[in-house]
Amino acid sequence: MSDFPKWLLALAGVSLVPVLLSPLYLFGATPFGTSDSSLVQFLLYCATQLLWLLPLVLFFVSLDRYRRGFEYSAVAVAATSGLVACAGLAAVLFL
């Protein structure tokens, strides 16, 4: 981790917060909506699970982009990851 600047680790580290809340997503979070179709219910459940899985994946993508020399896109990916993490946190706490 010493290869990366501390500001990038702080920006990308926000996206690791949903990992701590993943049991809430797995067992307690309600899906985005309801439907009578079991296929649609499954797809809504999968979309809800992406709120904690996507920031985790984007954390590693942003660090990999920075390591490969794409600093601006790494910052953009880390910021996007942080926004998705905040949206997921809001969805679990307020829905």
Side-chain angles (χ1 to χ4, degrees):
M1 288 299 198
S2 62
D3 296 340
F4 304 107
K6 292 189 183 354
W7 61 266
L8 180 64
L9 291 174
L11 181 63
V14 172
S15 62
L16 295 178
V17 172
V19 174
L20 300 173
L21 299 174
S22 64
L24 297 176
Y25 288 106
L26 293 172
F27 304 113
T30 56
F32 290 125
T34 58
S35 176
D36 293 331
S37 171
S38 57
L39 176 66
V40 174
Q41 286 178 351
F42 177 72
L43 293 175
L44 288 171
Y45 176 77
C46 289
T48 305
Q49 297 308 311
L50 283 177
L51 287 177
W52 74 269
L53 187 61
L54 191 61
L56 178 65
V57 170
L58 289 177
F59 170 79
F60 292 108
V61 168
S62 66
L63 294 183
D64 183 59
R65 300 285 299 170
Y66 188 85
R67 185 180 56 83
R68 292 178 187 240
F70 301 108
E71 290 87 8
Y72 294 118
S73 65
V75 171
V77 169
T80 302
S81 176
L83 290 175
V84 172
C86 290
L89 182 65
V92 166
L93 296 178
F94 300 119
L95 287 182

